Amino acid sequence: MSINVVEPDPSTAVGKRKTPFKNEAEVKKKRLNMALNVTTIFLGIATWWVVSMFVKNLPTPVETVQAAIKYAQKGIMGEDIIASLRRVFTGFLLGTALAIPVGFLMGWYSWARGLLEPWVQFFRTVPPLAIIPLAIVLMGIGETPKIFVIFLAAFLSCVISTFQGVVQVDKTLINAARVLGAKDSTIFAKVVVPASTPFILVGMRIGLGSAWATVVAAELIAAQQGLGYRMQQSQIYYDIPTIFVGIVIIGTFGLIMDRMVLWIENKLTGWQERR
């Protein structure tokens, strides 16, 4: 008598089982979100158009596009965008690079928390824009004070989030690792860092937004290029459409960069439960 051996289907094997219904639901959810995003953009433009018909001096979307074309034809739009991007990237990267180790230090060592947290909280309540006069006096009117103000905004936003991520790591995981004989360095690398990564990336998103929010004011410091500088010049000449062009460009680049960080977050924290 022969016995037929049925080979297990790899797609339904334990540990390899795919969840087609879940995947289909995620795809549908992404498509719905994309459709809602596109819809809300058109609704926003339509609302802007309607409001501009009733509000004096508010440019319409068409007038803003025309101003953007003139701005680009002058050959200075690209230079302004590059100047602002350079300042934002430099300040944001420096602020994040310092905020992450400082946040880990404050969260992991109680003595570091006692020494650093009061100062972090103190400067966090001081708007970065209030530092501009002091930055001009101490650093002059070159690129350094502009980047420093953006750096400070990004640093203060990211360091608190990193610190909270470290202190909120589940103590059970840390104790379990210690019971299994893991050293502090191993616990830090294998438990604390992965568990706090979502907090770090959220802090980076907030810091990126703070950097863009600060760049306009930072370019008050004797700038000759930059989107903020161009918007301030447009204010002097009452060129409202160009001001709107600057707002749209800053918002667009800020949104794109935020989505890039969000994409990185999804790749690094795929294990995290999401709604």
Side-chain angles (χ1 to χ4, degrees):
M1 181 176 64
S2 61
I3 300 175
N4 294 326
V5 178
V6 179
E7 294 291 335
D9 185 356
S11 64
T12 59
V14 177
K16 296 183 179 180
R17 176 173 295 177
K18 302 295 182 180
T19 53
F21 295 108
K22 184 177 179 181
N23 291 339
E24 290 175 7
E26 290 178 353
V27 171
K28 289 181 180 179
K29 184 178 179 180
K30 289 180 180 179
R31 288 176 179 174
L32 177 61
N33 287 338
M34 182 65 68
L36 290 174
N37 289 339
V38 174
T39 302
T40 192
I41 290 173
F42 282 103
L43 286 176
I45 294 174
T47 303
W48 173 12
W49 205 318
V50 171
V51 172
S52 65
M53 296 171 62
F54 298 96
V55 178
K56 186 180 180 181
N57 298 325
L58 181 66
T60 64
V62 173
E63 292 172 340
T64 304
V65 171
Q66 292 172 346
I69 294 173
K70 292 180 182 179
Y71 185 15
Q73 288 175 342
K74 292 179 182 179
I76 56 177
M77 177 187 283
E79 296 176 356
D80 288 341
I81 291 175
I82 291 172
S84 293
L85 281 174
R86 184 178 64 247
R87 290 163 184 151
V88 168
F89 267 119
T90 305
F92 169 71
L93 292 177
L94 290 176
T96 303
L98 181 61
I100 292 174
V102 170
F104 275 129
L105 195 67
M106 290 169 53
W108 191 245
Y109 296 106
S110 58
W111 60 265
R113 187 183 314 172
L115 289 174
L116 298 175
E117 187 180 14
W119 290 106
V120 170
Q121 295 294 345
F122 171 81
F123 282 105
R124 199 166 68 93
T125 59
V126 179
L129 306 185
I131 306 296
I132 289 179
L134 181 63
I136 294 175
V137 172
L138 297 178
M139 303 177 186
I141 57 175
E143 287 295 301
T144 302
K146 302 178 184 63
I147 293 173
F148 174 76
V149 174
I150 297 171
F151 153 82
L152 189 62
F155 169 80
L156 294 173
S157 299
C158 189
V159 69
I160 294 297
S161 184
T162 303
F163 164 68
Q164 289 297 326
V166 176
V167 298
Q168 290 187 23
V169 174
D170 192 347
K171 301 299 181 184
T172 304
L173 299 176
I174 296 176
N175 293 333
R178 285 205 171 106
V179 168
L180 293 173
K183 298 180 180 178
D184 281 353
S185 58
T186 303
I187 295 173
F188 184 80
K190 300 295 184 180
V191 178
V192 176
V193 172
S196 57
T197 296
F199 290 86
I200 296 171
L201 292 169
V202 169
M204 291 177 66
R205 292 180 66 189
I206 297 173
L208 187 59
S210 299
W212 274 110
T214 310
V215 69
V216 175
E219 289 175 345
L220 281 168
I221 309 175
Q224 297 300 318
Q225 288 180 329
L227 295 170
Y229 165 76
R230 198 63 55 191
M231 292 168 67
Q232 293 161 34
Q233 292 297 306
S234 300
Q235 177 191 6
I236 295 174
Y237 297 103
Y238 209 68
D239 185 4
I240 300 178
T242 302
I243 296 176
F244 267 74
V245 172
I247 293 172
V248 171
I249 293 175
I250 290 175
T252 301
F253 274 101
L255 179 61
I256 292 172
M257 293 168 68
D258 178 79
R259 288 298 177 264
M260 291 171 61
V261 177
L262 184 60
W263 179 82
I264 295 172
E265 178 183 352
N266 291 333
K267 292 297 181 182
L268 294 179
T269 60
W271 49 267
Q272 190 180 27
E273 284 286 336
R274 289 185 174 85
R275 285 204 239 173

Short mmCIF file of all heavy atoms in Angstrom, two decimals, residues 2 25 38 72 115 125 134 143 151 159 179 188 252 267 270:
data_model
loop_
_atom_site.label_atom_id
_atom_site.label_comp_id
_atom_site.label_asym_id
_atom_site.label_seq_id
_atom_site.Cartn_x
_atom_site.Cartn_y
_atom_site.Cartn_z
N SER A 2 0.61 2.11 -0.90
CA SER A 2 1.42 3.33 -0.99
C SER A 2 0.75 4.45 -0.22
O SER A 2 -0.47 4.56 -0.19
CB SER A 2 1.62 3.74 -2.45
OG SER A 2 0.36 4.01 -3.04
N ALA A 25 -6.13 44.84 1.94
CA ALA A 25 -6.68 45.96 2.71
C ALA A 25 -5.70 47.12 2.77
O ALA A 25 -6.10 48.29 2.67
CB ALA A 25 -7.04 45.50 4.12
N VAL A 38 -5.07 63.78 -3.29
CA VAL A 38 -5.27 64.51 -4.55
C VAL A 38 -6.54 65.36 -4.47
O VAL A 38 -6.56 66.53 -4.89
CB VAL A 38 -5.34 63.53 -5.74
CG1 VAL A 38 -5.71 64.26 -7.02
CG2 VAL A 38 -4.02 62.80 -5.91
N ALA A 72 10.70 82.81 -12.18
CA ALA A 72 11.62 81.85 -12.79
C ALA A 72 12.35 82.44 -13.98
O ALA A 72 13.53 82.16 -14.20
CB ALA A 72 10.85 80.60 -13.20
N LEU A 115 21.93 66.71 34.46
CA LEU A 115 22.77 67.83 34.02
C LEU A 115 22.21 68.57 32.81
O LEU A 115 22.29 69.80 32.73
CB LEU A 115 24.19 67.33 33.69
CG LEU A 115 25.06 66.89 34.86
CD1 LEU A 115 26.36 66.29 34.35
CD2 LEU A 115 25.36 68.08 35.79
N THR A 125 11.90 76.62 25.59
CA THR A 125 10.85 77.62 25.80
C THR A 125 11.22 78.96 25.18
O THR A 125 10.36 79.85 25.10
CB THR A 125 10.59 77.81 27.29
OG1 THR A 125 11.80 78.24 27.95
CG2 THR A 125 10.11 76.52 27.93
N LEU A 134 21.02 88.04 19.18
CA LEU A 134 22.24 87.58 19.83
C LEU A 134 23.17 86.91 18.82
O LEU A 134 24.40 87.09 18.87
CB LEU A 134 21.90 86.60 20.96
CG LEU A 134 23.07 86.03 21.76
CD1 LEU A 134 23.81 87.15 22.48
CD2 LEU A 134 22.58 84.99 22.76
N GLU A 143 26.75 83.40 6.88
CA GLU A 143 25.90 82.22 6.86
C GLU A 143 25.80 81.56 8.24
O GLU A 143 24.81 80.89 8.54
CB GLU A 143 26.44 81.19 5.86
CG GLU A 143 26.22 81.56 4.40
CD GLU A 143 24.74 81.58 4.04
OE1 GLU A 143 24.08 80.54 4.19
OE2 GLU A 143 24.26 82.65 3.63
N PHE A 151 19.67 75.30 13.05
CA PHE A 151 20.21 74.18 13.83
C PHE A 151 19.56 74.09 15.20
O PHE A 151 19.16 73.00 15.66
CB PHE A 151 21.73 74.35 13.97
CG PHE A 151 22.32 73.72 15.20
CD1 PHE A 151 22.62 72.36 15.21
CD2 PHE A 151 22.58 74.46 16.33
CE1 PHE A 151 23.15 71.77 16.34
CE2 PHE A 151 23.11 73.89 17.47
CZ PHE A 151 23.41 72.54 17.47
N VAL A 159 15.71 66.43 20.09
CA VAL A 159 16.33 65.88 21.29
C VAL A 159 15.27 65.42 22.29
O VAL A 159 15.43 64.38 22.95
CB VAL A 159 17.29 66.91 21.93
CG1 VAL A 159 16.54 68.09 22.52
CG2 VAL A 159 18.15 66.25 23.00
N VAL A 179 18.73 39.27 32.14
CA VAL A 179 18.63 37.91 32.66
C VAL A 179 19.34 36.93 31.73
O VAL A 179 19.97 35.96 32.17
CB VAL A 179 17.15 37.52 32.86
CG1 VAL A 179 17.02 36.03 33.12
CG2 VAL A 179 16.55 38.31 34.01
N PHE A 188 21.72 48.17 24.78
CA PHE A 188 21.53 49.48 24.16
C PHE A 188 21.37 49.33 22.65
O PHE A 188 20.47 49.94 22.04
CB PHE A 188 22.72 50.38 24.49
CG PHE A 188 22.57 51.79 23.98
CD1 PHE A 188 21.80 52.71 24.67
CD2 PHE A 188 23.19 52.20 22.81
CE1 PHE A 188 21.66 54.00 24.21
CE2 PHE A 188 23.06 53.49 22.35
CZ PHE A 188 22.29 54.40 23.05
N THR A 252 5.74 73.15 -0.42
CA THR A 252 5.91 71.98 -1.28
C THR A 252 7.17 71.22 -0.92
O THR A 252 7.16 69.98 -0.77
CB THR A 252 5.96 72.40 -2.76
OG1 THR A 252 4.75 73.09 -3.10
CG2 THR A 252 6.13 71.19 -3.66
N LYS A 267 10.12 52.08 6.46
CA LYS A 267 11.09 51.03 6.14
C LYS A 267 11.80 50.53 7.39
O LYS A 267 12.06 49.33 7.53
CB LYS A 267 12.11 51.54 5.13
CG LYS A 267 11.55 51.81 3.74
CD LYS A 267 11.04 50.55 3.09
CE LYS A 267 10.49 50.81 1.69
NZ LYS A 267 9.95 49.58 1.07
N GLY A 270 8.98 48.74 10.21
CA GLY A 270 7.92 47.90 9.65
C GLY A 270 7.33 46.94 10.66
O GLY A 270 6.21 46.45 10.48
#
